[in-house]
Structures are given as structure tokens and as C-alpha cells.
Amino acid sequence: DTEVTQTPKHLVMGMTNKKSLKCEQHMGHRAMYWYKQKAKKPPELMFVYSYEKLSINESVPSRFSPECPNSSLLNLHLHALQPEDSALYLCASSQDSAANTEAFFGQGTRLTVV
Amino acid sequence: AQTVTQSQPEMSVQEAETVTLSCTYDTSENNYYLFWYKQPPSRQMILVIRQEAYKQQNATENRFSVNFQKAAKSFSLKISDSQLGDTAMYFCAFMNPVIAGANNLFFGTGTRLTVIP
């Protein structure tokens, strides 16, 4: 199994809603990542979890709250988002956070904030 | 800071022909990693090929090969015998292993490649 599974594939939410994005991998990877990709732009790193601990937060607003319940799961809790937060949210995992390991990406969640 | 530049927003190639996508980067580091990722309409980022900066030999993966010019900070991707399934957005990416705990990929702006039947 070399898959990173993200759910849901599409999400439309209002600015007052609370929702969560989910990411799962069963490759035994110990590093997991959230990236944000705006239309026609490259992915930008949001968070890195290494061994279930948050190791990097790239100055992301607090309306995005990551959670890593165990080594296979990564969530991104969303609250009070703005329309400009609409984007493709990509989850990735790698064997660990050392630089010489390949990152495997999920298919992303297309988020629209209305 | 690292920057990755892809100067070709869009390219097209006839099926079975060869195409080269360009990428340049800027860094003051001596040891780093470079990648080409492919993002088809399915949206999933797929690793195409990787190159360690300390290796002089250019990486190859079947129909994909790179021309890594460290002094010029250039990292182009050559796709031989192009297939319809190669149609995708291609991102060049840089990783600096000096940053502890950070498997942080810096992506270029991408090149949209269309393979024409």
C-alpha cells in the first residue's frame, strides 16, 4: 500500500462552519505534511508532523488547526475560514522528516469557502 | 532563501517525441536535493525523478532523465518517447536538508505539458 488517502475529495463550507479534513496512510511513515495549493500555483507547506509532534508551522492562521491522533492519521480542523482560503489542500507523508526520503502525496481536498 | 524558477508556463509535444522542461534555482547551500513532480488532472502529486546535489551523474528513470548543472544551478527534465499519459503539470522542487526536521519542498510555478496525439 503506497497510498495517502484524503477525505473528503470536495468540501464546500460557509464562513461560520467547522469542518475537518482527514488524511490517512498505512506505509509506516512517521512524517506527515499539509500543503495548500491555490489555483495555478505551486503547493505551499503549512504544517509538518514528525513522530506525531508538530515540528513546523509555517505561520498559518489559527483558523487552521492540525491534529495528529496517531502515526497513520492527520487531520486539519477548519473554523471561521475566509473565501481566500479556498484551495486544494494536499496531505503528504514520508518515512521520516529527513531530507533524503520521498514524499507521497494524496489526491487532495478541493475546499471552497462561501 | 531558496527560489525555484520554471520559465515555461506551458509546453506541448507530439506523441513519441522528446521534450525538455527547464528549471533553475537559487541557493547558497552546497548539499541539497532536487525533484521533478508530476500533477495530472487527478491532482495527485507524483514523484517523477530526484537528484542529490552531491552526485555528478544525472538521474534517469526509464523515459525520464535530468540534466543537472550544479554550477549553473540548472535542473532540466527530458521526457523521451512522450506518451498521452504524460500530460500533466510538472513542478520542479528543491529541498534543503540543513533545515532540521524539515522535509520542506520548495516548488517552482510549474509547467503545463500537453502531449498531442
XYZ file of all heavy atoms in Angstrom, chain B residues 22-115:
759
model
N 12.527 23.148 -18.438
C 13.652 23.798 -17.770
C 13.310 24.206 -16.346
O 12.150 24.443 -16.002
C 14.119 25.011 -18.567
O 13.095 25.988 -18.588
N 14.349 24.271 -15.525
C 14.209 24.682 -14.131
C 15.530 25.265 -13.678
O 16.597 24.674 -13.938
C 13.829 23.479 -13.257
S 13.841 23.820 -11.471
N 15.485 26.405 -13.059
C 16.678 26.950 -12.415
C 16.333 27.242 -10.970
O 15.169 27.415 -10.607
C 17.178 28.226 -13.105
O 16.131 29.201 -13.092
C 17.606 27.952 -14.531
N 17.344 27.289 -10.145
C 17.116 27.504 -8.720
C 18.236 28.359 -8.164
O 19.285 28.538 -8.807
C 17.031 26.160 -7.984
C 18.255 25.314 -8.135
C 19.282 25.358 -7.204
C 18.409 24.477 -9.245
C 20.429 24.602 -7.370
C 19.548 23.722 -9.417
C 20.554 23.779 -8.475
O 21.689 23.038 -8.645
N 18.000 28.877 -7.009
C 18.997 29.715 -6.380
C 19.143 29.278 -4.931
O 18.152 29.184 -4.206
C 18.598 31.193 -6.449
C 19.704 32.102 -5.959
O 20.884 31.696 -6.024
O 19.399 33.220 -5.509
N 20.346 28.993 -4.522
C 20.619 28.614 -3.149
C 22.072 28.881 -2.839
O 22.916 28.870 -3.736
C 20.298 27.130 -2.907
O 20.515 26.826 -1.528
C 21.167 26.218 -3.758
N 22.349 29.093 -1.573
C 23.733 29.240 -1.129
C 24.253 27.940 -0.525
O 25.410 27.853 -0.138
C 23.832 30.369 -0.106
O 22.976 30.109 0.986
N 23.396 26.938 -0.460
C 23.789 25.658 0.113
C 24.578 24.839 -0.901
O 24.444 25.021 -2.114
C 22.548 24.875 0.562
C 21.695 25.597 1.586
C 22.427 25.821 2.887
O 23.336 25.036 3.205
O 22.075 26.779 3.598
N 25.379 23.915 -0.383
C 26.161 23.043 -1.260
C 25.529 21.665 -1.369
O 25.698 20.974 -2.371
C 27.579 22.909 -0.713
C 28.492 22.190 -1.684
O 28.539 22.536 -2.876
N 29.198 21.188 -1.199
N 24.797 21.281 -0.324
C 24.172 19.965 -0.326
C 22.658 20.124 -0.287
O 22.115 20.764 0.616
C 24.650 19.156 0.891
C 24.157 17.735 0.828
O 23.914 17.202 -0.254
N 23.982 17.123 1.976
N 21.994 19.563 -1.265
C 20.537 19.701 -1.342
C 20.001 18.632 -2.287
O 20.764 17.843 -2.859
C 20.137 21.107 -1.834
C 20.888 21.583 -3.052
C 20.458 21.260 -4.339
C 22.049 22.335 -2.920
C 21.166 21.681 -5.444
C 22.758 22.762 -4.024
C 22.314 22.438 -5.290
O 23.025 22.863 -6.393
N 18.687 18.598 -2.432
C 18.033 17.619 -3.293
C 17.124 18.368 -4.264
O 16.516 19.383 -3.913
C 17.193 16.633 -2.476
C 18.021 15.780 -1.532
C 18.420 16.264 -0.295
C 18.399 14.483 -1.889
C 19.188 15.497 0.554
C 19.156 13.709 -1.026
C 19.547 14.224 0.187
O 20.314 13.462 1.037
N 17.003 17.824 -5.444
C 16.122 18.393 -6.460
C 15.170 17.309 -6.953
O 15.558 16.134 -7.039
C 16.940 18.936 -7.637
C 17.847 20.124 -7.303
C 18.894 20.309 -8.377
C 17.022 21.386 -7.127
N 13.959 17.709 -7.261
C 12.933 16.763 -7.665
C 12.133 17.327 -8.844
O 12.013 18.546 -9.011
C 11.932 16.520 -6.520
C 12.544 16.071 -5.228
C 13.070 16.989 -4.331
C 12.585 14.726 -4.894
C 13.634 16.587 -3.139
C 13.148 14.307 -3.695
C 13.668 15.241 -2.814
N 11.583 16.426 -9.627
C 10.505 16.762 -10.548
C 9.278 15.975 -10.108
O 9.339 14.751 -9.969
C 10.860 16.412 -11.992
C 11.709 17.443 -12.662
C 13.069 17.434 -12.820
C 11.249 18.652 -13.286
N 13.475 18.564 -13.487
C 12.393 19.321 -13.786
C 9.984 19.228 -13.468
C 12.312 20.539 -14.463
C 9.908 20.436 -14.135
C 11.054 21.082 -14.623
N 8.178 16.715 -9.897
C 6.908 16.105 -9.570
C 5.941 16.359 -10.721
O 5.979 17.403 -11.393
C 6.311 16.700 -8.278
C 6.787 16.049 -7.011
C 7.957 16.497 -6.387
C 6.095 15.006 -6.427
C 8.399 15.910 -5.212
C 6.530 14.407 -5.250
C 7.688 14.870 -4.648
O 8.133 14.290 -3.490
N 5.054 15.414 -10.909
C 4.021 15.495 -11.943
C 2.665 15.573 -11.242
O 2.415 14.821 -10.295
C 4.126 14.235 -12.814
C 2.970 13.921 -13.713
C 3.216 12.566 -14.380
C 2.025 12.150 -15.234
N 2.260 10.831 -15.866
N 1.808 16.482 -11.695
C 0.457 16.578 -11.147
C -0.546 16.506 -12.291
O -0.831 17.490 -12.959
C 0.270 17.869 -10.339
C -1.044 17.920 -9.576
C -1.174 19.152 -8.704
O -0.733 20.239 -9.067
N -1.772 19.003 -7.521
N -1.098 15.320 -12.541
C -2.100 15.177 -13.601
C -3.428 15.756 -13.146
O -3.547 16.209 -12.002
C -2.168 13.651 -13.794
C -1.705 13.076 -12.505
C -0.754 14.060 -11.891
N -4.422 15.736 -14.017
C -5.738 16.268 -13.628
C -6.329 15.584 -12.395
O -7.169 16.168 -11.717
C -6.591 16.004 -14.874
C -5.615 16.046 -16.000
C -4.357 15.422 -15.450
N -5.876 14.388 -12.087
C -6.340 13.714 -10.868
C -5.863 14.426 -9.605
O -6.295 14.090 -8.509
C -5.847 12.264 -10.843
O -4.438 12.225 -10.732
N -4.959 15.386 -9.750
C -4.474 16.274 -8.693
C -3.377 15.686 -7.824
O -2.733 16.413 -7.070
C -5.614 16.754 -7.769
C -6.808 17.320 -8.490
C -7.908 17.767 -7.574
N -8.208 16.872 -6.483
C -9.397 16.831 -5.884
N -10.375 17.602 -6.293
N -9.594 16.012 -4.868
N -3.146 14.379 -7.900
C -2.143 13.787 -7.032
C -0.744 14.123 -7.518
O -0.431 13.981 -8.685
C -2.322 12.277 -6.984
C -1.431 11.586 -5.986
C -1.834 10.142 -5.779
O -2.615 9.595 -6.547
N -1.321 9.514 -4.747
N 0.103 14.579 -6.612
C 1.498 14.875 -6.943
C 2.264 13.557 -6.953
O 2.270 12.824 -5.972
C 2.101 15.801 -5.891
C 1.450 17.164 -5.801
S 1.937 18.216 -7.140
C 3.520 18.756 -6.564
N 2.924 13.291 -8.062
C 3.646 12.033 -8.222
C 5.111 12.340 -8.491
O 5.437 13.134 -9.380
C 3.061 11.230 -9.407
C 1.575 10.961 -9.173
C 3.827 9.923 -9.609
C 0.840 10.494 -10.402
N 6.001 11.718 -7.720
C 7.426 11.937 -7.928
C 7.857 11.303 -9.238
O 7.601 10.130 -9.490
C 8.229 11.334 -6.781
C 9.744 11.486 -6.887
C 10.143 12.957 -6.807
C 10.455 10.687 -5.796
N 8.508 12.086 -10.078
C 8.998 11.590 -11.367
C 10.459 11.171 -11.250
O 10.848 10.073 -11.667
C 8.863 12.675 -12.457
C 9.493 12.212 -13.769
C 7.394 13.039 -12.674
N 11.274 12.045 -10.642
C 12.705 11.779 -10.583
C 13.324 12.677 -9.519
O 12.791 13.753 -9.228
C 13.341 12.011 -11.981
C 14.697 11.326 -12.106
C 13.424 13.490 -12.300
C 15.169 11.220 -13.549
N 14.435 12.243 -8.940
C 15.119 13.029 -7.919
C 16.610 13.015 -8.196
O 17.141 12.103 -8.830
C 14.844 12.486 -6.529
C 15.254 11.040 -6.332
C 14.956 10.569 -4.935
N 16.008 10.963 -4.019
C 15.884 10.876 -2.702
N 14.753 10.491 -2.159
N 16.879 11.204 -1.924
N 17.280 14.047 -7.713
C 18.725 14.190 -7.907
C 19.343 14.719 -6.627
O 18.883 15.725 -6.088
C 19.007 15.174 -9.061
C 20.451 15.520 -9.295
C 21.185 14.463 -10.110
O 20.662 13.938 -11.083
N 22.406 14.163 -9.735
N 20.366 14.027 -6.135
C 21.126 14.547 -4.997
C 22.227 15.452 -5.530
O 22.936 15.078 -6.480
C 21.749 13.389 -4.197
C 20.738 12.532 -3.453
C 20.204 11.381 -4.293
O 20.346 11.407 -5.535
O 19.632 10.449 -3.706
N 22.397 16.606 -4.936
C 23.349 17.591 -5.463
C 24.788 17.101 -5.411
O 25.625 17.537 -6.205
C 23.225 18.906 -4.706
N 25.094 16.182 -4.488
C 26.468 15.711 -4.372
C 26.810 14.666 -5.428
O 27.970 14.302 -5.587
C 26.728 15.149 -2.972
C 25.905 13.937 -2.611
C 26.311 12.655 -2.966
C 24.724 14.066 -1.901
C 25.558 11.546 -2.637
C 23.959 12.968 -1.556
C 24.382 11.700 -1.934
O 23.633 10.605 -1.602
N 25.815 14.213 -6.166
C 26.062 13.235 -7.225
C 26.255 13.944 -8.555
O 25.409 14.739 -8.971
C 24.897 12.246 -7.328
C 24.793 11.285 -6.157
C 23.709 10.253 -6.416
C 23.653 9.244 -5.267
N 22.582 8.239 -5.463
N 27.341 13.653 -9.219
C 27.596 14.282 -10.514
C 26.799 13.614 -11.627
O 26.453 14.252 -12.624
C 29.088 14.240 -10.823
C 29.919 15.121 -9.900
C 31.369 15.183 -10.333
O 31.848 14.289 -11.024
N 32.080 16.223 -9.940
N 26.506 12.332 -11.458
C 25.806 11.606 -12.509
C 24.344 12.035 -12.555
O 23.667 12.106 -11.522
C 25.897 10.103 -12.255
C 25.353 9.257 -13.381
C 25.613 7.783 -13.182
O 26.113 7.366 -12.140
N 25.290 6.993 -14.188
N 23.862 12.295 -13.756
C 22.469 12.690 -13.932
C 21.540 11.507 -13.676
O 21.793 10.391 -14.141
C 22.231 13.214 -15.351
C 22.866 14.568 -15.573
O 22.926 15.386 -14.666
N 23.347 14.796 -16.785
N 20.450 11.766 -12.946
C 19.486 10.712 -12.645
C 18.663 10.362 -13.889
O 18.389 11.226 -14.736
C 18.559 11.170 -11.519
N 18.302 9.090 -13.991
C 17.412 8.639 -15.059
C 16.398 7.663 -14.471
O 16.707 6.915 -13.536
C 18.171 7.932 -16.198
O 18.794 6.758 -15.657
C 19.234 8.818 -16.800
N 15.182 7.730 -15.010
C 14.123 6.812 -14.630
C 13.338 6.491 -15.898
O 12.450 7.227 -16.312
C 13.179 7.439 -13.592
C 13.707 7.549 -12.192
C 13.783 6.212 -11.466
O 13.145 5.239 -11.926
O 14.489 6.148 -10.439
N 13.710 5.385 -16.526
C 13.036 4.967 -17.758
C 13.076 6.080 -18.807
O 14.144 6.462 -19.259
C 11.603 4.522 -17.439
C 11.575 3.380 -16.439
O 12.316 2.413 -16.573
N 10.733 3.499 -15.426
N 11.930 6.640 -19.184
C 11.896 7.657 -20.237
C 12.253 9.054 -19.724
O 12.316 10.003 -20.518
C 10.494 7.696 -20.862
C 10.066 6.412 -21.539
C 8.686 6.550 -22.189
N 7.625 6.764 -21.197
C 7.007 7.919 -21.014
N 7.318 8.976 -21.740
N 6.052 8.025 -20.107
N 12.463 9.166 -18.433
C 12.729 10.470 -17.828
C 14.196 10.568 -17.427
O 14.744 9.658 -16.820
C 11.844 10.666 -16.596
C 10.361 10.619 -16.888
C 9.671 9.412 -16.871
C 9.668 11.766 -17.202
C 8.306 9.367 -17.143
C 8.307 11.732 -17.468
C 7.626 10.531 -17.446
N 14.796 11.688 -17.757
C 16.178 11.931 -17.353
C 16.347 13.415 -17.070
O 15.544 14.241 -17.506
C 17.162 11.473 -18.428
O 16.949 12.208 -19.625
N 17.382 13.727 -16.299
C 17.626 15.124 -15.982
C 18.992 15.529 -16.491
O 19.879 14.709 -16.696
C 17.526 15.398 -14.456
C 16.132 15.077 -13.953
C 18.596 14.643 -13.685
N 19.137 16.840 -16.695
C 20.430 17.442 -16.983
C 20.700 18.392 -15.822
O 20.150 19.490 -15.764
C 20.407 18.176 -18.313
C 21.768 18.761 -18.660
O 22.750 18.571 -17.942
N 21.835 19.465 -19.769
N 21.540 17.926 -14.892
C 21.833 18.681 -13.684
C 23.151 19.404 -13.863
O 24.201 18.765 -14.041
C 21.888 17.728 -12.483
C 22.336 18.358 -11.201
C 21.785 19.545 -10.752
C 23.321 17.746 -10.423
C 22.200 20.121 -9.560
C 23.744 18.310 -9.230
C 23.182 19.502 -8.807
N 23.096 20.710 -13.852
C 24.276 21.550 -13.979
C 24.409 22.346 -12.686
O 23.805 23.417 -12.542
C 24.138 22.490 -15.188
C 23.937 21.799 -16.512
C 25.182 21.075 -16.972
O 26.303 21.511 -16.699
N 24.991 19.951 -17.652
N 25.214 21.830 -11.752
C 25.253 22.425 -10.420
C 25.794 23.852 -10.446
O 25.275 24.738 -9.760
C 26.101 21.558 -9.480
C 26.002 21.965 -8.023
C 26.695 20.971 -7.114
C 26.507 21.367 -5.649
N 27.166 20.404 -4.728
N 26.836 24.078 -11.207
C 27.438 25.418 -11.242
C 26.445 26.438 -11.804
O 26.384 27.581 -11.331
C 28.709 25.402 -12.067
N 25.694 26.023 -12.786
C 24.714 26.921 -13.402
C 23.401 26.920 -12.637
O 22.494 27.696 -12.973
C 24.476 26.514 -14.847
N 23.252 26.042 -11.634
C 22.017 25.898 -10.862
C 20.835 25.660 -11.802
O 19.808 26.346 -11.748
C 21.800 27.114 -9.965
C 22.887 27.242 -8.904
C 22.692 28.437 -7.995
C 23.853 28.507 -7.004
N 23.815 29.735 -6.189
N 21.030 24.666 -12.632
C 20.027 24.313 -13.625
C 19.682 22.837 -13.482
O 20.568 21.997 -13.254
C 20.579 24.604 -15.021
O 19.749 24.076 -16.014
N 18.409 22.518 -13.664
C 17.937 21.142 -13.434
C 16.790 20.883 -14.406
O 15.624 21.005 -14.057
C 17.472 21.012 -11.983
C 17.017 19.638 -11.579
C 17.863 18.545 -11.638
C 15.733 19.442 -11.099
C 17.439 17.280 -11.252
C 15.291 18.184 -10.695
C 16.146 17.110 -10.787
N 17.102 20.515 -15.637
C 16.063 20.325 -16.648
C 15.639 18.868 -16.707
O 16.418 17.959 -16.391
C 16.542 20.807 -18.018
O 17.673 20.062 -18.421
N 14.405 18.657 -17.131
C 13.820 17.325 -17.246
C 13.598 17.006 -18.711
O 12.960 17.786 -19.429
C 12.475 17.253 -16.505
C 11.675 15.957 -16.670
C 12.365 14.795 -15.948
C 10.252 16.130 -16.139
N 14.115 15.869 -19.153
C 13.884 15.422 -20.513
C 12.958 14.221 -20.490
O 13.201 13.250 -19.769
C 15.203 15.046 -21.213
C 15.016 14.696 -22.680
C 16.340 14.539 -23.418
C 16.933 13.165 -23.241
N 18.092 12.947 -24.143
N 11.891 14.323 -21.277
C 10.944 13.214 -21.409
C 11.079 12.684 -22.829
O 10.844 13.408 -23.814
C 9.497 13.663 -21.145
C 9.385 14.356 -19.795
C 8.548 12.465 -21.213
C 8.004 14.952 -19.510
N 11.482 11.437 -22.939
C 11.646 10.796 -24.247
C 10.411 9.974 -24.578
O 9.704 9.507 -23.675
C 12.881 9.890 -24.234
O 14.031 10.599 -23.865
N 10.163 9.810 -25.882
C 9.037 8.972 -26.325
C 7.762 9.371 -25.574
O 7.112 8.551 -24.910
C 9.364 7.496 -26.091
C 8.303 6.556 -26.629
O 7.578 6.943 -27.581
O 8.170 5.438 -26.099
N 7.394 10.636 -25.659
C 6.267 11.172 -24.894
C 4.995 10.371 -25.133
O 4.698 9.963 -26.272
C 6.027 12.635 -25.274
O 7.135 13.420 -24.941
N 4.271 10.160 -24.053
C 3.006 9.424 -24.118
C 1.868 10.321 -23.651
O 2.084 11.274 -22.904
C 3.105 8.175 -23.237
C 4.220 7.237 -23.665
C 4.399 6.051 -22.738
O 3.682 5.897 -21.754
N 5.357 5.198 -23.071
N 0.655 9.963 -24.095
C -0.509 10.784 -23.740
C -0.651 10.911 -22.222
O -1.070 11.949 -21.709
C -1.774 10.191 -24.352
C -1.824 10.165 -25.875
C -3.115 9.527 -26.360
C -1.674 11.566 -26.472
N -0.269 9.872 -21.508
C -0.362 9.900 -20.054
C 0.634 10.841 -19.391
O 0.561 11.058 -18.178
N 1.543 11.395 -20.175
C 2.494 12.353 -19.617
C 1.882 13.746 -19.502
O 2.486 14.638 -18.899
C 3.752 12.430 -20.492
C 4.539 11.134 -20.521
O 4.445 10.356 -19.537
O 5.248 10.882 -21.519
N 0.708 13.942 -20.093
C 0.035 15.235 -19.988
C -0.252 15.542 -18.530
O -0.930 14.779 -17.841
C -1.275 15.221 -20.803
O -0.954 15.124 -22.184
C -2.071 16.492 -20.548
N 0.289 16.651 -18.047
C 0.184 16.996 -16.633
C 0.875 18.321 -16.387
O 1.526 18.881 -17.267
C 0.829 15.924 -15.754
N 0.750 18.791 -15.153
C 1.546 19.923 -14.689
C 2.804 19.330 -14.077
O 2.730 18.375 -13.297
C 0.761 20.701 -13.635
C 1.421 21.974 -13.223
S 1.322 23.224 -14.517
C 0.683 24.572 -13.577
N 3.950 19.885 -14.428
C 5.214 19.406 -13.893
C 5.840 20.492 -13.006
O 6.017 21.633 -13.438
C 6.181 19.037 -15.029
C 5.795 17.741 -15.701
C 4.785 17.713 -16.657
C 6.416 16.545 -15.364
C 4.399 16.521 -17.255
C 6.046 15.344 -15.962
C 5.034 15.351 -16.906
O 4.663 14.167 -17.497
N 6.153 20.090 -11.775
C 6.760 21.009 -10.829
C 8.190 20.592 -10.543
O 8.454 19.430 -10.220
C 5.984 21.028 -9.502
C 4.641 21.675 -9.576
C 3.485 20.918 -9.682
C 4.517 23.055 -9.537
C 2.234 21.514 -9.744
C 3.270 23.669 -9.595
C 2.127 22.889 -9.697
N 9.078 21.535 -10.620
C 10.439 21.355 -10.151
C 10.456 21.738 -8.671
O 9.798 22.703 -8.264
C 11.361 22.270 -10.962
S 13.093 22.236 -10.500
N 11.189 20.997 -7.855
C 11.183 21.270 -6.420
C 12.574 21.118 -5.833
O 13.376 20.302 -6.292
C 10.207 20.350 -5.702
N 12.832 21.903 -4.807
C 14.123 21.958 -4.138
C 13.921 21.607 -2.668
O 12.932 22.004 -2.063
C 14.672 23.383 -4.267
C 15.913 23.664 -3.457
C 17.159 23.656 -4.068
C 15.841 23.967 -2.106
C 18.299 23.930 -3.333
C 16.970 24.229 -1.361
C 18.201 24.218 -1.986
N 14.864 20.860 -2.104
C 14.820 20.565 -0.685
C 16.185 20.781 -0.079
O 17.187 20.285 -0.586
C 14.378 19.131 -0.434
C 14.269 18.774 1.029
S 14.032 17.016 1.246
C 12.463 16.826 0.427
N 16.217 21.508 1.042
C 17.458 21.785 1.747
C 17.517 20.929 3.005
O 16.761 21.159 3.938
C 17.510 23.266 2.117
C 18.767 23.625 2.890
O 19.607 22.773 3.133
N 18.887 24.880 3.257
N 18.387 19.941 3.050
C 18.407 19.048 4.210
C 19.018 19.665 5.457
O 19.003 19.065 6.502
C 19.276 17.879 3.724
C 20.191 18.493 2.721
C 19.394 19.577 2.058
N 19.522 20.873 5.362
C 20.150 21.504 6.523
C 19.114 21.889 7.562
O 19.376 21.934 8.754
C 20.959 22.760 6.093
C 21.486 23.507 7.292
C 22.094 22.335 5.186
N 17.888 22.144 7.085
C 16.836 22.576 7.999
C 16.354 21.356 8.771
O 15.742 20.466 8.219
C 15.663 23.215 7.237
C 16.169 24.393 6.394
C 14.592 23.671 8.199
C 15.105 24.978 5.490
N 16.646 21.303 10.047
C 16.357 20.127 10.856
C 14.877 19.831 10.889
O 14.059 20.723 11.092
C 16.881 20.340 12.267
N 14.551 18.569 10.712
C 13.163 18.131 10.814
C 12.280 18.649 9.713
O 11.069 18.537 9.784
N 12.865 19.167 8.673
C 12.038 19.813 7.656
C 12.208 19.140 6.316
O 13.184 19.374 5.627
C 12.387 21.286 7.539
N 11.254 18.300 5.966
C 11.222 17.773 4.606
C 10.411 18.777 3.799
O 9.299 18.511 3.390
C 10.537 16.403 4.615
C 10.755 15.658 3.328
O 11.041 16.235 2.308
N 10.621 14.353 3.381
N 10.981 19.972 3.648
C 10.217 21.091 3.103
C 10.561 21.294 1.649
O 11.662 21.709 1.317
C 10.536 22.349 3.916
C 9.652 23.517 3.515
O 8.817 23.397 2.631
N 9.837 24.647 4.162
N 9.624 20.969 0.815
C 9.817 21.110 -0.619
C 9.446 22.528 -1.050
O 8.348 22.991 -0.781
C 8.938 20.112 -1.373
C 9.320 18.646 -1.266
C 8.184 17.772 -1.763
C 10.586 18.357 -2.038
N 10.364 23.209 -1.723
C 10.068 24.489 -2.353
C 9.779 24.214 -3.818
O 10.637 23.707 -4.543
C 11.260 25.445 -2.240
C 11.544 25.904 -0.846
C 12.435 25.210 -0.050
C 10.926 27.029 -0.326
C 12.709 25.623 1.241
C 11.201 27.455 0.964
C 12.085 26.743 1.744
N 8.586 24.553 -4.248
C 8.172 24.237 -5.607
C 8.331 25.441 -6.533
O 8.132 26.585 -6.124
C 6.709 23.806 -5.631
C 6.452 22.460 -5.023
C 6.144 22.329 -3.681
C 6.487 21.314 -5.806
C 5.890 21.090 -3.118
C 6.235 20.068 -5.251
C 5.933 19.955 -3.914
N 8.639 25.160 -7.793
C 8.544 26.177 -8.824
C 7.087 26.381 -9.210
O 6.187 25.722 -8.685
N 6.845 27.295 -10.131
C 5.477 27.650 -10.512
C 4.843 26.663 -11.478
O 3.660 26.769 -11.758
C 5.430 29.051 -11.122
O 6.430 29.124 -12.151
C 5.707 30.121 -10.076
N 5.620 25.730 -11.973
C 5.057 24.657 -12.790
C 5.077 24.932 -14.280
O 5.079 26.082 -14.728
N 5.111 23.851 -15.036
C 4.989 23.885 -16.497
C 3.874 22.930 -16.888
O 3.932 21.746 -16.531
C 6.296 23.449 -17.183
O 7.329 24.381 -16.878
C 6.106 23.365 -18.700
N 2.893 23.448 -17.597
C 1.798 22.570 -18.046
C 2.194 21.940 -19.370
O 2.374 22.642 -20.372
C 0.507 23.366 -18.201
C -0.691 22.490 -18.586
C -2.014 23.236 -18.497
N -2.274 23.766 -17.168
C -2.693 23.036 -16.137
N -2.900 21.738 -16.287
N -2.914 23.588 -14.964
N 2.343 20.638 -19.368
C 2.748 19.906 -20.577
C 1.543 19.201 -21.177
O 0.815 18.502 -20.473
C 3.832 18.883 -20.245
C 4.272 17.993 -21.405
C 5.005 18.817 -22.459
C 5.142 16.841 -20.923
N 1.363 19.401 -22.466
C 0.311 18.699 -23.208
C 0.950 17.832 -24.272
O 1.750 18.330 -25.083
C -0.661 19.692 -23.866
O -1.227 20.534 -22.865
C -1.768 18.956 -24.605
N 0.629 16.546 -24.264
C 1.110 15.631 -25.294
C 0.003 15.499 -26.336
O -1.126 15.113 -26.014
C 1.476 14.266 -24.710
C 1.958 13.329 -25.808
C 2.550 14.429 -23.638
